[in-house]
Amino acid sequence: MKTINIGLLGCGTVGTGVVRLLLTNEVKHTQYAQAKMDVKRILVSDSAKKRDPVIRPELLTTNPDDILEDPSIDIVVEVMGGTGLAREYILRALRAGKNVVTANKDLMAQEGEELFREAARYDVDLLFEASVAGGIPIIGPLKNSLAGNRITKVMGIINGTTNFILTKMYEDGSEFEDVLKLSQELGYAETDPTADIEGWDAGRKIAILASIAFNTRVTFKDVYMEGITRISSLDIEYAKKLNCTIKLVGRASERDGQVEARVHPVLLSLSHPLAKVDGVYNAVYVEGDAVGDVMFQGPGAGEMPTASAVVGDILSVARNEIKGVTPRENCSCYDRKEILTIDRTVDKYFIRMTVVDRPGVLSQISGVFGQKDVSIDSLIQTKHSEGSAELALITDDVIDANLRSALDEIQHLEPVMAVSSVIRVEKDS
Ligand SMILES: NC(=O)c1ccc[n+]([C@@H]2O[C@H](COP(=O)([O-])OP(=O)(O)OC[C@H]3O[C@@H](n4cnc5c(N)ncnc54)[C@H](OP(=O)(O)O)[C@@H]3O)[C@@H](O)[C@H]2O)c1
């Protein structure tokens, strides 16, 4: 029986899970790959740190050369995170003819093109299933099982922290800041939650998914991102009245050769499959011309779910190594499609504003909308209280730039006190 030697770069949450899973299901893995998986060396930053007993201390090293320059290592598994050293080490591994498995979304969303080029040049595999939605298989299915389709849309709840916050706000009627604090206490949100609540984490993941779904390079900087910090309990109340919920979604679509990729909150009909994905769960919904709609749902992070995706990649690479068929997959971005900027996108919007309560204000506002080609589908409610009134309305499909220009003008109208919410309404809702 042959042995596949693995070098782990990093041994935190995910790395420890990978070692644990390789030990737990060792027999099955050996049968699957027709080889024994052996974790030969593990790079960490502090070898004196107390670790889970599954980690054998003699495997630890703080010198990357012990892995990158060891000719017997077949697969380098990068689970240290970051974009600086992780990039350098992955490039060194590829150039040394080693296959690489990574869970690093930041790196893949930013530097994927360079890494794939090097993997192809050195005829090795570069797999990254765990980089999007942790334990949910989505990269493999998009690249392989759904390859026969023309994909028109990929939409997902791909950040557990924000989904936990929005779910709690929906269930309890609580305000964003309070639920954020609770999420931090429960360990669901980081001390600095910016990357989650501003949509950057989901932005990296949708860049990766869009690139694979539409076979064109979409990087993090191509993604329009809007977070959930401005969503209030009042917005959720309105959503409920409309039989909707509010979710932060990563959304990418292709039409007439143009691709758009964005992250923002949406009003989503309760009948939409993604509306039922609650708490820290993730889901990715895909539309293909042959398959129709499919949804992948499950745990989007965590030690063992993420290890599940990483070990799946390790076994695929190992099996190919044993059969001598690497590289199994090349970069699938063989097209160069135009990326649509957000100002040219078309959506329906929910808008909530506070105005002075007197006759003629609504017609003043409708006048500006009319001039900017923004038509109103429905006025949901006008709530009056002590000299002010709250207007909540839904527009028809409008061009983003037209809406922004109308709202700029409306905000400066004398009777308009505040435009409190502008939230997209998912078209299928
Ligand atoms: N956690 C999840 O649920 C999850 C889900 C999907 C994807 N990911 C991705 O998986 C990767 C790892 O995440 P994680 O949560 O496992 O991170 P983590 O718990 O912070 O672990 C990072 C590991 O890398 C080591 N490390 C960091 N910088 C290093 C350096 N300069 N030199 C040597 N070793 C270094 C650390 O060493 P020490 O142990 O000595 O500190 C630690 O073992 C990230 O790219 C993350 O985005 C994580």
Side-chain angles (χ1 to χ4, degrees), residues 7 20 34 55 73 79 82 95 97 127 144 147 203 205 229 250 287-288 302 311 326 360 364 377 422:
R20 193 190 311 285
Q34 289 300 294
I55 307 301
I73 291 204
V79 281
R95 287 169 184 158
L127 298 191
N144 302 304
K205 294 168 182 167
T229 53
E287 282 178 10
V311 171
T326 51
Q364 229 182 318
D377 173 69
V422 181

Side-chain angles (χ1 to χ4, degrees), residues 10-15 43-46 49 51 79-81 85 103-105 130 134 300-302 306:
C11 194
T13 307
V14 182
L43 177 75
V44 289
S45 58
D46 175 5
K49 199 181 203 173
R51 293 180 195 275
V79 281
M80 53 186 262
L85 279 177
N104 194 328
K105 59 187 164 286
T306 311

